[in-house]
């Protein structure tokens, strides 16, 4: 496929599919207060539910080795449908076992979707990879902003058992997407290996880069994972607010996450990937402390800024991963997704167990202290990067 300048229409099409998918994958957190009561479980068990949804992402690196051998168009269209049906049935699950199966199914379709989609974005973004990833993440973060409000509204309309109705508009949207989305050719980019993907050599070559990336993501994901999973539970259970207010708080967090993901990629195109990551690493912990130590009004304000800085690093990292010069971009992205799973899963599990032991407020505070470790990780990431577009 020849190199092209930024193709807005194709980028927006894939970003729309990302939005459709992630709306339905965001239902667990706002439903947790109700699910805790329904099944009589505590925060540590709830953290395992989140882990079950994330587990398939562990195999993204495997999917990445085969991604250039399969057609991408059906994946982009069908994965959101699978996620929508499974997500809409979460409230109606009669047992925690079936709930776990539905969450695992969401995780599987999510892993399959998120491996090729960013690669397609990179192809259609030309030399504006940061901008393309911002559009892509705009779809995902917009979905995570609207998803909590959508599922909570559905519960108020139809009850916890009636949310299955939400699957219908997703199916309609997927049909429309299939009619508008052109047949995008796929190809094996590894020409040197004559079709054989040298995944071992690639992982060995970029091992230092991925280690540094893991360190940076781990210490930032403690904050984001704790807030994204337990913020509604914190606001409802500990602050005595309504379920709708808990969902609203999460949507406030995600609202500025939309802005953060949309502008951060373009900013990093101008001031450099590492400059952007360093600024985000410095600012984030202080905003977390403001959230924990302030009253209700300031908490909502701090959530606005937290959403921006916590989400802003994702499009920058996606662009950085795709710019490392590998001829196997799907494998690189699959590796990124696997790291994202590992760091996110560890963070959510830790938040659940620590939250049971000392409370969510202190857990959020600890996550802020740990986030300072992301600052030296930026310099390590710069050192290990094989393509430094701009210096710090």
């Amino acid at each position: 496929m020849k190199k092209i300048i930024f193709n807005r229409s194709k980028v927006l099409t894939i970003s729309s599919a990302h939005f459709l998918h992630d709306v339905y994958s965001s239902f667990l957190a706002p439903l947790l207060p109700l699910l805790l009561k329904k099944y009589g479980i505590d925060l540590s068990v709830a953290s395992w539910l989140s882990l079950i949804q994330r587990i398939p992402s562990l195999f993204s690196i495997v999917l990445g080795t085969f991604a250039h051998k399969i057609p991408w168009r059906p994946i982009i269209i069908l994965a959101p449908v699978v996620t929508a049906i499974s997500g809409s049935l979460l409230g109606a699950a009669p047992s925690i076992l079936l709930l776990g199966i539905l969450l695992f199914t969401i995780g599987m379709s999510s892993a399959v979707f998120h491996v090729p989609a960013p690669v397609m974005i990179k192809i259609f973004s030309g030399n504006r990879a940061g901008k393309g990833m911002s559009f892509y993440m705009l779809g995902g973060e917009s979905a995570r902003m609207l998803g909590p409000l959508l599922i909570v509204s559905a519960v108020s309309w139809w009850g916890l058992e009636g949310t299955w109705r939400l699957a219908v508009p997703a199916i309609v949207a997927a049909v429309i997407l299939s009619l508008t989305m052109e047949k995008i050719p796929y190809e094996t980019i590894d020409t040197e290996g004559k079709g054989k993907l040298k995944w071992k050599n690639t992982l060995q070559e970029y091992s230092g880069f991925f280690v540094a990336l893991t360190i940076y993501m781990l210490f930032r994901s403690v904050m984001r994972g704790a807030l994204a999973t337990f913020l509604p539970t914190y606001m409802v259970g500990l602050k005595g607010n309504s379920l709708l207010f808990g969902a609203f708080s999460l949507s406030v967090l995600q609202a500025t996450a939309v802005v953060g993901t949309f502008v951060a990629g373009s900013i990093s195109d101008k001031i450099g990937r590492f400059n952007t990551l360093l600024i985000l690493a410095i600012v984030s912990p202080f905003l977390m402390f403001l959230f924990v130590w302030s009253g209700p009004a300031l908490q909502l304000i701090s959530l606005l800024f937290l959403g921006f800085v916590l989400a802003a690093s994702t499009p920058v990292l996606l662009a950085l991963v795709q710019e490392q010069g590998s001829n196997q971009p799907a494998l690189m992205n699959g590796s990124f997704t696997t790291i994202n799973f590992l760091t996110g899963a560890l963070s959510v599990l830790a938040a659940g167990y620590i939250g049971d032991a000392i409370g969510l407020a202190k857990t959020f505070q600890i996550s802020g202290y740990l986030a300072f470790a992301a600052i030296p990780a930026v310099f390590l990431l710069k050192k290990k990067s094989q393509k430094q577009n701009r210096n710090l």
Side-chain angles (χ1 to χ4, degrees), residues 190-358:
D190 179 29
T191 55
E192 294 181 3
K194 298 181 179 180
K196 295 182 180 180
L197 298 177
K198 300 179 180 179
W199 60 271
K200 291 183 179 180
N201 293 341
T202 299
L203 294 180
Q204 183 177 5
E205 179 182 358
Y206 294 96
S207 59
F209 171 78
F210 283 127
V211 169
L213 183 66
T214 301
I215 296 173
Y216 180 82
M217 294 178 66
L218 176 62
F219 287 106
R220 284 181 56 79
S221 67
V222 177
M223 284 191 299
R224 189 173 188 186
L227 284 172
T229 304
F230 296 116
L231 179 60
T233 304
Y234 172 76
M235 299 302 263
V236 174
L238 299 183
K239 297 297 183 179
N241 297 301
S242 65
L243 181 66
L244 181 60
F245 186 82
F248 174 75
S249 299
L250 186 58
S251 291
V252 168
L253 183 75
Q254 295 295 348
T256 47
V258 173
V259 181
T261 55
F262 185 64
V263 303
S266 296
I267 291 175
S268 71
D269 283 338
K270 297 177 180 179
I271 71 172
R273 311 291 184 219
F274 303 105
N275 279 325
T276 306
L277 294 175
L278 181 61
I279 293 171
L280 295 174
I282 294 173
V283 173
S284 299
F286 294 104
L287 291 174
M288 190 60 162
F289 297 145
L290 178 62
F291 169 74
V292 175
W293 294 334
S294 60
L298 278 178
Q299 280 190 324
L300 288 179
I301 294 175
S302 62
L303 284 176
L304 288 172
F305 291 100
L306 267 172
F308 182 97
V309 299
L310 291 180
S313 61
T314 304
V316 182
L317 293 174
L318 280 170
L320 185 63
V321 169
Q322 290 296 309
E323 290 173 341
Q324 290 306 298
S326 172
N327 59 0
Q328 298 179 36
L331 176 58
M332 295 292 287
N333 186 64
S335 301
F336 171 83
T337 305
T338 297
I339 293 171
N340 191 40
F341 157 77
L342 290 172
T343 56
L346 290 173
S347 300
V348 173
L349 280 177
Y353 280 96
I354 296 174
D356 276 336
I358 63 175

Side-chain angles (χ1 to χ4, degrees), residues 20-253:
L20 179 62
H21 177 278
D22 282 16
V23 161
Y24 292 87
S25 66
S26 67
F27 285 174
L28 177 61
L31 287 178
L32 267 184
L34 296 178
L35 297 176
L36 291 174
K37 294 180 180 179
K38 179 177 179 178
Y39 300 111
I41 57 179
D42 55 19
L43 294 177
S44 57
V45 176
S47 66
W48 280 99
L49 291 176
S50 179
L51 177 63
I52 290 173
Q53 182 173 338
R54 295 168 181 260
I55 281 177
S57 295
L58 179 63
F59 304 103
S60 295
I61 188 172
V62 178
L63 294 173
T65 63
F66 300 103
H68 295 291
K69 298 293 187 179
I70 58 178
W72 291 347
R73 182 175 181 272
I75 292 176
I76 300 300
I77 295 172
L78 295 178
V81 175
V82 174
T83 296
I85 294 174
S86 301
S88 299
L89 292 174
L90 292 179
S95 66
I96 196 169
L97 174 62
L98 185 55
L99 177 66
I101 293 174
L102 290 172
L103 290 171
F104 187 81
T105 303
I106 292 173
M108 283 295 297
S109 62
S110 178
V112 171
F113 177 88
H114 284 92
V115 168
V119 181
M120 297 168 70
I121 290 289
K122 174 63 170 62
I123 292 172
F124 296 136
S125 297
N127 61 351
R128 300 297 303 277
K131 181 178 180 180
M133 294 305 172
S134 285
F135 273 92
Y136 173 72
M137 290 307 302
L138 175 66
E141 296 301 333
S142 299
R144 284 184 281 275
M145 176 186 70
L146 297 176
L149 295 178
L150 177 62
I151 188 61
V152 169
S153 298
V155 170
S156 66
W157 296 331
W158 304 312
L160 190 60
E161 309 293 329
T163 57
W164 58 267
R165 295 175 175 85
L166 290 177
V168 177
I171 296 174
V172 174
V175 172
I176 296 174
L177 184 64
S178 68
L179 296 175
T180 58
M181 187 176 184
E182 63 181 278
K183 293 184 178 180
I184 302 172
Y186 62 97
E187 60 182 350
T188 299
I189 301 179
D190 179 29
T191 55
E192 294 181 3
K194 298 181 179 180
K196 295 182 180 180
L197 298 177
K198 300 179 180 179
W199 60 271
K200 291 183 179 180
N201 293 341
T202 299
L203 294 180
Q204 183 177 5
E205 179 182 358
Y206 294 96
S207 59
F209 171 78
F210 283 127
V211 169
L213 183 66
T214 301
I215 296 173
Y216 180 82
M217 294 178 66
L218 176 62
F219 287 106
R220 284 181 56 79
S221 67
V222 177
M223 284 191 299
R224 189 173 188 186
L227 284 172
T229 304
F230 296 116
L231 179 60
T233 304
Y234 172 76
M235 299 302 263
V236 174
L238 299 183
K239 297 297 183 179
N241 297 301
S242 65
L243 181 66
L244 181 60
F245 186 82
F248 174 75
S249 299
L250 186 58
S251 291
V252 168
L253 183 75

